[in-house]
Amino acid sequence: MAKAIDFLTRTRGHGKLHWTDWFTYAYLLFGILLMFGPVVWLVMSSFKTDAELDRFPPRFLPYAAQTVELEGYSKPLPLYKVVSGELAGETVAQVRRIGLTSQVVRLDAPDQIVKIGLKDREPIERISIATENYTNLFSKFDFLRFFWNSTFITVVATVIMLIVNSMAAFALAKYKFSGRAAVMAMVIGVLMIPQTVVLVPLFIVTKELGMLDSLWGVIVPGAATPTGIFLLRQYMLTIPDEILDAARMDKASEWKIYWRIVLPLSAPAIAVLAILAIMWRWNDFLWPLIALSRSDNFTLQLALNSFQGEMTTQWSSLLAMTVLTLLPVALVFAFLQKYIATGIASTGGK
Amino acid sequence: MADLRLKNVTKSYGAVEVIKGVDLEVAHGEFCVFVGPSGCGKSTLLKMISGLESITSGDLYIGDDQVNEVAAAERGLAMVFQSYALYPHMNVRQNLSFGLENLKTPKPVIEEKINAAAKMLQIDELMDRRPRDLSGGQRQRVAIGRAVVREPRIFLFDEPLSNLDAELRVDMRSEIAQLHRQLGNTMIYVTHDQVEAMTMADKIAVLRSGLVEQYGKPLDLFNDPANIFVAGFIGSPKMNFIQGELQGNRLLLKNGESIELPEARFHLKDGAKVTLGIRPNDIAPGSDATHGLNANIKSVEQLGGDSYIYAVSDMGDNITVHRPGQVNVSVGDKLLLEVDVDTTHLFDTETGLTLRKNRTGNTSEASAQ
Amino acid sequence: MIRIVSFFMDLIDIPMRHAQRYLRGHSIAWVFLFPNLVLFGLFAFLPILLNVAYAFTGTDNIMLWDRTYVAGENFAALTACSNYLDANSCELDLFWRSVHNTLLFIVLQVGIMVGVSLVTALILNRRIRARGFFRSVFFFPVLLSPVVVALIWKWILQRNGLMNAGLEQLGLERVVWMLDRNWAFAWSVFLSVWAHMGFYTLILLAGLQAIPRDVYDAATMDAAKPFRTFYRITLPLLMPTMLVVMVLALIKGVQTFDEVYAFTGGGPGSATTLIIQYIYETGFAGAPRLFGLASAASIILALVLAALTFLQLKFTRRNADG
């Protein structure tokens, strides 16, 4: 531990810690708590039983009452330790609770009911993970369906976007045709018109194309992005024209130059754009909210949002579902952290 | 039969004309070098031949066919680029085979051709490496190999040695020359280095601002330059130029000195403004004042086997003197430089054209090509 | 897999070769641009035109030809106010409430966001251990979906949640956060700063790291004190990046919808209804669907955004120029 503190507080320059160094590490520690804390709390909570979720003040670890199956009772009974009264020190099972008294039975005599005060007993608990929160998602809710919808939209939209945008970027980066400046201006124009300001006509165009309330209605309207064109074009500009000329001398057609030379050489930029596209699509909310109305077609985000209304009290399922929704993003982040940071920094977001 | 013919070929970008009408013939098996200062249009001309740049007007023939509209890939040429332009994501073998695959060559044939080329260029050890793992010289070889496997009618080289260090450049120079002897193909080679041009070429085309100033064998260009530009460009160190007026068969210099030329070969009026061109080899410290001019020595380079004297004449002209062996002069000396008048060149100062010897009539007209 | 893609691409190559033969030189570019331009045309340019058409027509018919021309009526309705500062005096009070909410929201959100991001970036730019790790700590929430962000905080702020437990621990009263207008608004701002600050921190950090070390060394040689160095060197040199960050934050702030909608649903009442939510509810969620009104509001928003984006491009370009 001392070593860890030493490691963390060691400055690279001077030996002694200035007060600003203390402030720095205090800030960073607070940052970890504030940024990761809520997510950790969410994950922890998602493993709690409904009873535990209702408990105030809440506890960090998921506890559950220990239960026992006794002859003559259909349900498992919760176990209590009696702390005062004549049964003090014994372990009993509670049959039911009426007002301030609790009807309990001894484990060795399940048919003899004893009444004790609520204050005379303490529940026996152990850490237990309520996996049923998760299994319920699959049995009671159509979680897999939403998951599939989200995945389908994300994958197909990303693939279409990569192809369409890389083709356009290639044309804008590597050909000197009349009208190029006009097309670039158009791309900037589209950059100035986010989806949010053309919701009504977008809805109507999508409806007229017969794609409303289908997954394609979410995929196609956003399939071409100006950001993607800018990002890929910028990268393709760095590929020397001589390589393309060499390929032309090698009798490669223009299409072949695109997909055998330029596309493989743009792999780093394509990877960055792919990650961004996956995130945008997976997290997309407003347009799917408008375009999809049957719950069969809902994405995970829509399902989450609509269930929080339906299940205000049923936090257990909602929390588990939230965790499963953020899981793919967390995994992508864990493995591709570096790409994401550079990618987002280079595009300035969406 | 000519392998390549250009007939009044031009190229413009909008209103800017970069190639202003070039006529040129390259015979089969010739090694032809385009040389000129940067911006003279030599690379553009090469790209027009390759098909990578379109031709604005004029005709380009390869063999008997007019190929103006034929796409680059269909012209049966191969090109070695200045930056090599190897495909960075393919290994050497894939780099070599890409073009053949595009031609739908059968696999075994590709294999055979690649192996032969690799052996010839000594890159067979490197076949599985990526371009970034190769040295400059190795990349150069792969780039040449990529052209060789295509078995093109004509090889095009766009300043292929400019990215190499001096030593490697000399090696590759002789290798390319050897390759030419071995394959016997026509080769067109662009460079800005006149030494490369002189050592490698069968024929040299000297270009300046979109025009061919002179086209001929290297030594013809050296011995009989068409104009002052070619005379100054070809040969190292550069030719010395001294301006003056013609007075009979004497060249009158501004400060009153004069140099006597062998005989009245130039049928020009007295007072005509001319420029005398003297190769550094054709001038030396001496004593004969009739063919000499006075100069101050600015610096001396003694290389042991050769000596260079850099002097300034009384009129301010820089004069370079090259002598074999060693010389006994030092900086600051004033001395008489004697010109070997039989080997000098004379140019019309205004037009820059060579005034040719032993002609009758209007001799100021010289043929540029 | 590669073989299948390869085959597919070769298949495309056949018509492309023909196109190449007919389209001389660089005109082949249009073939590559075609799919993208179709998508842009259908889903960006056509909608802009339609947006104008809808804004100037009335009735709740969806098809344009069933609609009647109403000139500037929709705009007039939106701007009919006796006092623009008091939403209750307006004909469409909800619109003005959402405008006021949005304005207050972006003032608070952008201000806090830039401040917090700057401090964080400055701290991450110090000589600290594991900078990469800490950078991703602050960046992590950027990747979370708005709905997930909303639910995470809703869970913490619920009546029996962690926040109230903390308050009791400190001997304070529990608060029902989501039912209090001011608290709901404040937490909405907080949540959106929490979710997005990592992004701006990243940009500012890049800006800080672009300031050459020599400049600081020179300042040290000139015996500048740390705070003076900050005000006279760091801040001026970082200003271009700050401007970009501010405008970007404004552009995104104006368009805030997802996380706040999932968090509060616009409530309590209309306390956290922002402009996009107004457009959404007017055009899609309510009955009748008032497309004209929604379009008119969209156009007003679009003009604001276009101006902001123009600024952003200008600042970015100036940055790139040096």
Side-chain angles (χ1 to χ4, degrees):
Chain A
M1 191 63 202
K3 242 184 181 173
I5 289 174
D6 183 47
F7 171 81
L8 279 172
T9 54
R10 206 182 322 159
T11 53
R12 282 184 198 161
H14 338 277
K16 241 173 72 184
L17 282 178
H18 193 246
W19 68 265
T20 52
D21 293 318
W22 288 111
F23 176 74
T24 298
Y25 285 101
Y27 188 93
L28 291 176
L29 215 62
F30 178 69
I32 292 183
L33 211 65
L34 190 67
M35 294 292 159
F36 278 166
V39 179
V40 172
W41 181 246
L42 170 83
V43 174
M44 274 301 172
S45 304
S46 76
F47 291 115
K48 291 177 181 172
T49 57
D50 277 316
E52 183 67 12
L53 286 173
D54 270 343
R55 193 190 149 93
F56 188 86
R59 288 181 291 195
F60 182 67
L61 291 171
Y63 286 95
Q66 228 169 347
T67 55
V68 67
E69 300 225 18
L70 289 179
E71 247 177 84
Y73 299 96
S74 53
K75 279 198 214 159
L77 302 175
L79 286 176
Y80 285 87
K81 194 175 185 80
V82 184
V83 288
S84 58
E86 59 181 287
L87 294 175
E90 283 197 61
T91 301
V92 295
Q94 175 179 281
V95 178
R96 68 174 72 85
R97 206 187 107 185
I98 301 166
L100 288 175
T101 56
S102 162
Q103 300 184 346
V104 299
V105 293
R106 277 197 224 131
L107 299 185
D108 47 2
D111 39 1
Q112 261 188 312
I113 287 180
V114 185
K115 290 182 184 172
I116 59 172
L118 283 186
K119 283 185 182 158
D120 295 338
R121 60 174 179 63
E122 253 176 20
I124 298 179
E125 290 172 319
R126 63 191 164 96
I127 294 176
S128 115
I129 290 171
T131 46
E132 67 270 17
N133 290 351
Y134 286 88
T135 51
N136 277 352
L137 290 181
F138 297 94
S139 54
K140 287 196 198 161
F141 307 97
D142 219 350
F143 180 79
L144 279 181
R145 160 126 242 134
F146 306 133
F147 191 86
W148 164 251
N149 289 344
S150 271
T151 308
F152 181 80
I153 288 174
T154 303
V155 170
V156 175
T158 301
V159 169
I160 293 180
M161 170 181 169
L162 289 179
I163 294 173
V164 168
N165 273 357
S166 67
M167 280 169 67
F170 171 63
L172 291 170
K174 291 298 171 199
Y175 294 106
K176 297 182 211 75
F177 56 102
S178 53
R180 184 172 64 168
V183 175
M184 281 305 290
M186 267 171 64
V187 176
I188 291 176
V190 176
L191 197 65
M192 291 199 191
I193 323 159
Q195 246 184 12
T196 44
V197 303
V198 288
L199 290 174
V200 170
L202 204 56
F203 173 81
I204 285 145
V205 170
T206 312
K207 184 183 162 70
E208 283 308 291
L209 292 173
M211 293 191 295
L212 211 57
D213 204 13
S214 87
L215 299 186
W216 293 103
V218 178
I219 291 170
V220 179
T225 66
T227 314
I229 294 182
F230 276 123
L231 186 94
L232 293 178
R233 174 172 179 267
Q234 218 54 38
Y235 195 87
M236 287 177 182
L237 284 175
T238 65
I239 299 174
D241 287 344
E242 273 201 350
I243 291 181
L244 275 70
D245 279 344
R248 281 184 190 118
M249 295 303 286
D250 269 346
K251 209 164 189 283
S253 65
E254 299 300 308
W255 178 256
K256 203 161 198 174
I257 289 174
Y258 159 71
W259 82 268
R260 283 288 302 273
I261 308 287
V262 174
L263 220 46
L265 287 179
S266 314
I270 301 252
V272 166
L273 185 61
I275 294 167
L276 288 180
I278 289 172
M279 277 168 26
W280 293 338
R281 287 336 186 87
W282 187 263
N283 292 341
D284 204 6
F285 181 66
L286 176 57
W287 179 245
L289 182 68
I290 291 171
L292 303 175
S293 46
R294 270 185 306 137
S295 66
D296 269 2
N297 287 330
F298 273 13
T299 63
L300 272 178
Q301 311 297 338
L302 292 187
L304 260 187
N305 183 59
S306 72
F307 285 173
Q308 69 154 327
E310 277 174 35
M311 325 188 287
T312 27
T313 48
Q314 225 176 337
W315 275 103
S316 53
S317 299
L318 194 56
L319 292 173
M321 195 158 165
T322 310
V323 171
L324 286 187
T325 306
L326 73 77
L327 203 60
V329 173
L331 288 179
V332 167
F333 176 73
F335 289 112
L336 303 172
Q337 203 241 99
K338 212 168 136 195
Y339 278 112
I340 296 171
T342 51
I344 291 193
S346 64
T347 60
K350 200 166 183 175
Chain B
M1 186 198 74
D3 229 15
L4 179 74
R5 247 180 326 144
L6 283 75
K7 271 194 173 169
N8 197 24
V9 163
T10 69
K11 171 83 189 171
S12 327
Y13 295 108
V16 187
E17 199 171 31
V18 288
I19 299 291
K20 298 167 183 167
V22 169
D23 291 285
L24 208 66
E25 278 191 21
V26 182
H28 180 71
E30 259 182 349
F31 197 114
C32 172
V33 175
F34 294 173
V35 69
S38 59
C40 70
K42 55 192 189 296
S43 284
T44 309
L45 193 59
L46 190 75
K47 285 200 160 184
M48 287 160 73
I49 295 171
S50 73
L52 294 170
E53 288 276 5
S54 64
I55 294 166
T56 308
S57 76
D59 294 305
L60 173 68
Y61 292 91
I62 294 178
D64 294 326
D65 309 318
Q66 201 254 30
V67 294
N68 284 28
E69 301 297 320
V70 177
E74 319 279 340
R75 294 189 187 184
L77 315 175
M79 186 154 167
V80 177
F81 292 84
Q82 184 172 8
S83 65
Y84 318 138
L86 299 177
Y87 309 122
H89 58 303
M90 300 183 187
N91 65 25
V92 171
R93 184 181 301 281
Q94 290 163 330
N95 261 286
L96 296 184
S97 66
F98 184 71
L100 294 174
E101 282 165 23
N102 292 338
L103 292 165
K104 306 239 156 47
T105 314
K107 276 242 164 74
V109 180
I110 294 182
E111 196 72 8
E112 199 180 303
K113 284 185 178 177
I114 288 180
N115 289 341
K119 201 164 235 172
M120 182 170 76
L121 292 161
Q122 294 158 15
I123 49 173
D124 33 2
E125 310 270 291
L126 313 171
M127 296 306 269
D128 296 319
R129 295 213 209 154
R130 291 278 174 94
R132 64 162 177 274
D133 301 326
L134 301 177
S135 70
Q138 289 168 334
R139 284 180 208 178
Q140 178 67 72
R141 277 167 212 267
V142 175
I144 293 173
R146 187 169 63 180
V148 167
V149 294
R150 296 276 312 279
E151 297 176 357
R153 197 143 156 197
I154 303 175
F155 280 95
L156 308 175
F157 293 90
D158 187 5
E159 306 213 25
L161 303 186
S162 59
N163 285 339
L164 298 178
D165 60 50
E167 203 179 330
L168 209 50
R169 202 177 302 170
V170 175
D171 290 348
M172 284 309 298
R173 208 156 74 191
S174 65
E175 273 187 45
I176 291 176
Q178 198 193 333
L179 186 76
H180 177 234
R181 283 193 296 276
Q182 217 170 329
L183 298 173
N185 293 38
T186 308
M187 294 189 176
I188 314 255
Y189 187 104
V190 162
T191 179
H192 61 267
D193 179 356
Q194 59 95 20
V195 178
E196 257 174 48
M198 292 298 281
T199 51
M200 301 171 84
D202 293 325
K203 284 255 191 83
I204 296 179
V206 181
L207 280 97
R208 181 171 60 156
S209 33
L211 282 172
V212 175
E213 295 284 337
Q214 193 170 6
Y215 180 50
K217 291 184 178 148
L219 285 182
D220 288 351
L221 264 60
F222 183 84
N223 294 329
D224 191 13
N227 55 37
I228 213 165
F229 175 77
V230 175
F233 195 82
I234 301 287
S236 173
K238 278 187 176 205
M239 187 183 271
N240 300 302
F241 296 109
I242 295 163
Q243 295 185 356
E245 265 176 30
L246 215 53
Q247 205 86 73
N249 62 344
R250 297 166 67 80
L251 179 71
L252 208 61
L253 305 184
K254 273 179 212 147
N255 63 350
E257 284 183 59
S258 70
I259 298 171
E260 195 173 308
L261 302 173
E263 47 187 285
R265 312 167 302 181
F266 311 102
H267 302 269
L268 290 172
K269 287 182 192 128
D270 283 359
K273 297 219 181 322
V274 295
T275 301
L276 185 68
I278 312 156
R279 296 265 177 217
N281 287 7
D282 301 331
I283 185 167
S287 52
D288 183 356
T290 53
H291 302 139
L293 71 166
N294 289 303
N296 283 314
I297 298 181
K298 285 286 163 196
S299 72
V300 181
E301 286 175 5
Q302 304 255 25
L303 304 180
D306 290 273
S307 306
Y308 296 92
I309 303 168
Y310 300 98
V312 178
S313 76
D314 289 352
M315 284 88 57
D317 300 305
N318 286 316
I319 296 172
T320 308
V321 178
H322 173 220
R323 299 309 303 162
Q326 298 165 10
V327 292
N328 188 22
V329 293
S330 49
V331 176
D333 284 0
K334 218 171 156 73
L335 78 170
L336 185 74
L337 292 173
E338 192 181 326
V339 179
D340 178 0
V341 288
D342 291 320
T343 54
T344 52
H345 303 260
L346 204 61
F347 307 96
D348 184 320
T349 304
E350 267 167 46
T351 62
L353 295 178
T354 299
L355 299 167
R356 299 202 186 268
K357 303 168 191 176
N358 306 327
R359 281 210 195 165
T360 51
N362 187 359
T363 52
S364 70
E365 190 194 345
S367 64
Q369 273 102 38
Chain C
M1 176 68 188
I2 287 173
R3 236 166 231 208
I4 297 169
V5 175
S6 225
F7 174 77
F8 186 65
M9 289 296 181
D10 282 339
L11 218 60
I12 298 179
D13 197 24
I14 297 166
M16 286 297 281
R17 270 175 191 278
H18 282 281
Q20 198 180 325
R21 205 152 292 159
Y22 291 115
L23 293 166
R24 288 206 45 215
H26 289 202
S27 307
I28 186 83
W30 291 107
V31 179
F32 283 98
L33 283 170
F34 181 71
N36 212 326
L37 291 184
V38 168
L39 288 173
F40 275 177
L42 275 177
F43 300 109
F45 291 108
L46 180 61
I48 296 175
L49 297 179
L50 284 177
N51 214 356
V52 177
Y54 277 84
F56 287 99
T57 53
T59 76
D60 58 348
N61 285 321
I62 188 165
M63 298 327 299
L64 199 54
W65 43 86
D66 295 333
R67 299 171 64 82
T68 48
Y69 178 70
V70 296
E73 225 169 75
N74 287 319
F75 290 98
L78 282 175
T79 52
C81 273
S82 50
N83 176 6
Y84 286 113
L85 295 177
D86 179 9
N88 291 323
S89 73
C90 300
E91 189 183 320
L92 296 168
D93 58 327
L94 190 56
F95 173 70
W96 281 99
R97 219 161 268 148
S98 74
V99 168
H100 290 166
N101 284 341
T102 307
L103 286 177
L104 183 61
F105 184 85
I106 56 175
V107 167
L108 289 174
Q109 193 234 31
V110 172
I112 296 172
M113 182 100 81
V114 172
V116 172
S117 299
L118 179 62
V119 172
T120 312
L122 284 170
I123 282 187
L124 288 177
N125 196 37
R126 289 174 59 88
R127 299 181 198 187
I128 54 168
R129 294 260 159 194
R131 180 187 291 147
F133 167 73
F134 283 113
R135 196 182 58 182
S136 40
V137 165
F138 287 98
F139 184 73
F140 174 66
V142 174
L143 304 175
L144 298 179
S145 89
V147 184
V148 166
V149 169
L151 285 173
I152 287 176
W153 284 99
K154 220 172 163 174
W155 172 239
I156 288 175
L157 294 170
Q158 58 126 344
R159 181 194 288 271
N160 290 339
L162 196 58
M163 189 60 70
N164 276 332
L167 282 189
E168 281 210 343
Q169 200 74 174
L170 295 173
L172 298 169
E173 286 276 303
R174 278 202 241 180
V175 181
V176 187
W177 306 101
M178 306 305 288
L179 293 183
D180 181 290
R181 301 176 66 89
N182 293 331
W183 277 121
F185 195 89
W187 281 114
S188 298
V189 172
F190 168 84
L191 175 118
S192 116
V193 171
W194 183 83
H196 301 300
M197 65 159 284
F199 170 59
Y200 300 101
T201 301
L202 208 67
I203 298 181
L204 286 173
L205 186 60
L208 282 173
Q209 287 175 342
I211 299 176
R213 199 69 243 156
D214 312 2
V215 179
Y216 287 114
D217 290 344
T220 311
M221 295 306 285
D222 285 341
K225 293 249 161 31
F227 276 103
R228 206 174 139 72
T229 308
F230 175 73
Y231 276 112
R232 296 298 301 277
I233 301 201
T234 311
L235 214 50
L237 285 174
L238 195 61
M239 215 50 213
T241 317
M242 290 275 282
L243 279 175
V244 169
V245 162
M246 244 178 268
V247 178
L248 263 182
L250 270 177
I251 292 176
K252 287 194 170 183
V254 175
Q255 297 181 73
T256 304
F257 168 74
D258 306 5
E259 64 254 30
V260 175
Y261 180 74
F263 183 56
T264 64
S270 55
T272 56
T273 301
L274 302 179
I275 182 82
I276 299 282
Q277 190 184 339
Y278 174 79
I279 294 172
Y280 165 68
E281 286 182 343
T282 308
F284 303 99
R289 296 177 155 198
L290 302 170
F291 291 121
L293 216 51
S295 296
S298 295
I299 286 179
I300 295 174
L301 178 64
L303 291 176
V304 174
L305 283 176
L308 288 173
T309 310
F310 180 75
L311 273 186
Q312 184 220 339
L313 289 175
K314 212 174 139 184
F315 287 141
T316 319
R317 197 151 296 170
R318 200 197 293 162
N319 270 9
D321 289 348

